Amino acid sequence: MSGRAESGTGVAIRPEAAVPGDDLQVFLKALTSGTRQKLFAHFINGEELTVGEVAERAGLGPSTTSEHLAVLRRGGLLQSTRSGKLVRYRADREGIAELLGQLHSYLLAPSEPPDPPLTQD
């Protein structure tokens, strides 16, 4: 037996595979929405934007935009700074790099558990 279990889709799943950490799960969830992907695209050139500026560019209401930006911030894609009533958002390049590193490690984890170390009797 290979140590793999079959899922309902016929794809082998490693029972010993680690589940991604909470931070990585929130990061991936933030990227699942096409709307959030489009909103994030407004920040790829390093711009700092307010909710109102993003809402205007995206053609969304401020409340909807604010909710999506909050998910992107919690997911580690954006940082925010407050100045009085004004909140500015910008891409969190360091956070994104860290989370992509975690994703890389998770996706390329060994598919089989390592052999136990040899012991001398």
Side-chain angles (χ1 to χ4, degrees):
M1 182 170 223
S2 71
R4 293 176 184 256
E6 290 290 324
S7 72
T9 62
V11 176
I13 298 182
R14 301 174 309 192
E16 75 283 355
V19 175
D22 290 343
D23 290 347
L24 187 54
Q25 289 183 32
V26 175
F27 172 74
L28 293 171
K29 180 181 178 188
L31 290 171
T32 61
S33 163
T35 300
R36 286 192 291 273
Q37 291 171 21
K38 289 174 187 172
L39 291 178
F40 181 74
H42 294 284
F43 298 95
I44 60 174
N45 292 326
E47 285 191 80
E48 271 195 19
L49 301 167
T50 65
V51 171
E53 291 168 334
V54 177
E56 184 177 319
R57 290 180 183 193
L60 296 172
S63 178
T64 300
T65 302
S66 181
E67 290 175 27
H68 283 297
L69 293 178
V71 173
L72 289 167
R73 185 182 52 75
R74 284 192 302 271
L77 290 138
L78 296 177
Q79 292 179 327
S80 63
T81 54
R82 180 178 291 276
S83 177
K85 291 184 179 183
L86 201 62
V87 178
R88 294 196 163 278
Y89 290 87
R90 69 186 168 286
D92 183 353
R93 296 186 186 281
E94 290 179 18
I96 293 167
E98 167 67 28
L99 289 160
L100 288 175
Q102 290 179 29
L103 180 59
H104 182 265
S105 295
Y106 169 71
L107 292 174
L108 297 178
S111 60
E112 298 292 332
D115 292 331
L118 296 176
T119 58
Q120 293 182 344
D121 293 323

